[in-house]
């Protein structure tokens, strides 16, 4: 590890001078044990690369032009609207999917895309809008911009974006509350899920706002607090968080489902184990763990580990997809970072979420 320190120091100097691309190449090369002269660029880490530009809040936030709508994948009859939130927390654009049969008391799902992705892309790849039509829930896709992070990553590795009522978590929570109020969503059935950098941020949202989110889904992501800066982010992506990281203790146990490919070369699958281990430490006692394997011809095999109580309710669920890389399991090829060979992560997450709701307050 000592061999990487000169490269890390050089990378920090490049970051301060504004050469973010050069800094990223140095860090990647250092972690790989090579040099920055190798033919290695940002593509191998493009879905979680934690390169950051100064945030501009609460001023105008540029957005990516909407992609050409493809209704067959976006949803089967609902509304997919571009929205903009502006409040004391700052400004955040997002896409809102409202199913055609919307009514009071529906569940609400927040979907956080990975780096280089957009809400439109993420909706296409996960097929979550079609499930919203089929099963009856509202979906919100917050939009990260190049102003906040040049790769459109959620800044999961920054301490200021890992806390309640600060930075990006405050903005995402504000949008959640706004939509829940506008559509009279069931306050006990609000969930958050994400891919990669979005998955890491979903873990943060569950830890920071256990009073809002009834359960979380983390696909190819990292645990809350896995990194505190750019060098530690790349280290965690490759090896998981260091042993010195103290798992976040939530005021309420938040049920979690994870998906991760065991051939993921961007975020090591060991991170899924850290997420589950952290949840297990916070969970209710007396859970029984069960492990099963599955898969069919032409699809990835998988191992599914569940922790359930005596009533059969699953509180922690971990899917390891054998042979899969850094991609949404069972996703549609029209979106980026998808693997159609399954199993279907979107449907499994919705089934898991349906088992959990926040206690009602009289």
């Amino acid at each position: 590890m000592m061999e990487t320190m000169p490269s890390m120091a050089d990378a920090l100097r490049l970051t301060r001078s504004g050469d973010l691309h050069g800094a990223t190449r140095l860090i990647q090369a250092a972690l790989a044990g090579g040099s920055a002269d190798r033919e290695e660029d940002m593509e191998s880490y493009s879905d979680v690369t934690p390169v950051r530009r100064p945030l501009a809040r609460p001023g105008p936030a540029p957005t990516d032009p909407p992609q050409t709508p493809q209704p067959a994948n976006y949803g089967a009859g609902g509304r997919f609207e571009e929205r903009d939130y502006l409040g004391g927390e700052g400004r955040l654009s997002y896409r809102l999917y409202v199913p055609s049969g919307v009514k009071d008391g529906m569940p609400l799902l927040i979907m956080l895309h990975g780096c280089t992705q957009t809400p439109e892309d993420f909706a296409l790849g996960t097929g979550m809008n079609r499930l919203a039509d089929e099963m009856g829930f509202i979906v919100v896709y917050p939009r990260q911009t190049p102003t906040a992070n040049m790769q459109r990553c959620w800044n999961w590795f920054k301490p200021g974006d890992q806390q309640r009522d600060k930075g990006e978590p405050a903005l995402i929570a504000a949008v959640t509350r706004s939509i829940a109020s506008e559509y009279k969503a069931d306050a006990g059935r609000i969930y958050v899920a994400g891919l990669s950098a979005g998955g890491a941020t979903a873990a943060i949202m569950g830890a920071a706002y256990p009073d809002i989110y009834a359960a979380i889904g983390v696909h190819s992501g990292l645990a809350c607090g896995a990194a505190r800066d750019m060098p530690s982010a790349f280290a965690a992506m490759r090896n998981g968080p260091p042993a010195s990281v103290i798992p976040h203790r939530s005021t309420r146990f938040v049920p979690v489902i994870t998906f991760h490919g065991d051939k993921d070369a961007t975020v090591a699958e060991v991170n899924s184990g850290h997420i589950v281990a952290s949840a297990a430490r916070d969970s209710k006692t007396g859970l029984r763990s069960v492990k099963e394997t599955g898969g069919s011809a032409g699809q990835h095999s998988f191992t599914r580990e569940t922790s359930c109580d005596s009533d059969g309710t699953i509180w922690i669920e971990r899917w390891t997809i054998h042979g899969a890389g850094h991609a949404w399991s069972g996703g549609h090829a029209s979106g980026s970072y998808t693997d159609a060979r399954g199993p279907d992560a979107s449907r499994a997450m919705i089934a898991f979420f349906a088992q959990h709701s926040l206690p009602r307050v009289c």
Side-chain angles (χ1 to χ4, degrees), residues 39-200:
E39 288 297 320
E40 180 178 11
D41 59 22
M42 294 177 68
E43 290 182 3
S44 59
Y45 286 96
S46 60
D47 193 45
V48 285
T49 303
V51 180
R52 184 185 176 108
R53 288 178 176 170
L55 291 175
R57 295 184 180 133
T63 60
D64 300 300
Q67 297 179 355
T68 303
Q70 300 183 42
N73 290 314
Y74 280 166
R79 304 193 313 273
F80 199 37
E81 304 174 352
E82 179 72 16
R83 294 280 197 96
D84 196 52
Y85 173 84
L86 179 61
E89 304 84 0
R91 182 187 295 269
L92 185 64
S93 297
Y94 60 94
R95 276 277 195 166
L96 169 67
Y97 187 76
V98 181
S100 57
V102 66
K103 59 184 179 181
D104 293 355
M106 275 188 165
L108 172 62
L109 173 62
I110 310 301
M111 289 286 286
L112 301 171
H113 63 74
C115 301
T116 75
Q117 293 185 311
T118 64
E120 295 83 3
D121 176 25
F122 199 38
L124 285 169
T126 61
M128 202 59 82
N129 291 355
R130 285 173 291 157
L131 280 179
D133 280 318
E134 176 186 336
M135 305 180 77
F137 57 92
I138 299 165
V139 194
V140 175
Y141 301 85
R143 183 189 300 278
Q144 182 66 299
T145 71
T147 301
N149 184 293
M150 67 180 299
Q151 292 295 308
R152 295 195 296 273
C153 310
W154 300 102
N155 291 299
W156 58 273
F157 57 94
K158 296 287 291 184
D161 292 306
Q162 297 174 346
Q163 305 174 48
R164 185 182 180 95
D165 298 332
K166 293 184 181 295
E168 291 169 359
L171 277 166
I172 295 168
V175 168
T176 302
R177 293 187 183 106
S178 176
I179 296 302
S181 175
E182 179 180 353
Y183 284 91
K184 297 182 175 60
D186 185 342
R189 294 189 294 162
I190 299 176
Y191 312 98
V192 59
L195 171 66
S196 199

Side-chain angles (χ1 to χ4, degrees), residues 164-296:
R164 185 182 180 95
D165 298 332
K166 293 184 181 295
E168 291 169 359
L171 277 166
I172 295 168
V175 168
T176 302
R177 293 187 183 106
S178 176
I179 296 302
S181 175
E182 179 180 353
Y183 284 91
K184 297 182 175 60
D186 185 342
R189 294 189 294 162
I190 299 176
Y191 312 98
V192 59
L195 171 66
S196 199
T201 301
I204 290 170
M205 297 307 296
Y209 295 94
D211 53 325
I212 294 181
Y213 302 104
I216 64 172
V218 182
H219 200 311
S220 309
L222 301 96
C224 176
R228 307 293 288 176
D229 52 27
M230 191 164 64
S232 63
F234 281 105
M237 288 158 58
R238 184 173 291 277
N239 301 311
S244 59
V245 170
I246 301 174
H248 180 92
R249 302 293 297 190
S250 176
T251 56
R252 165 190 162 264
F253 168 63
V254 180
V256 59
I257 179 172
T258 70
F259 273 79
H260 217 121
D262 64 6
K263 299 300 182 183
D264 191 332
T266 302
V267 178
E269 196 270 334
V270 66
N271 284 284
S272 177
H274 283 278
I275 294 167
V276 168
S278 179
R281 281 187 287 268
D282 284 347
S283 69
K284 55 194 293 184
T285 58
L287 295 184
R288 178 174 56 91
S289 295
V290 177
K291 183 183 292 188
E292 61 180 310
T293 59
S296 56

Side-chain angles (χ1 to χ4, degrees), residues 131 257 259 317 319 343-353:
L131 280 179
I257 179 172
F259 273 79
E317 186 167 342
W319 293 71
D344 189 339
S346 296
R347 193 171 290 274
M349 284 189 181
I350 296 305
F352 178 80
F353 293 156

Side-chain angles (χ1 to χ4, degrees), residues 8-20 23 52 230-231:
M8 291 300 182
D10 291 339
L12 290 174
R13 283 194 291 273
L14 287 172
T15 299
R16 295 189 183 104
S17 69
D19 186 359
L20 301 176
R52 184 185 176 108
M230 191 164 64

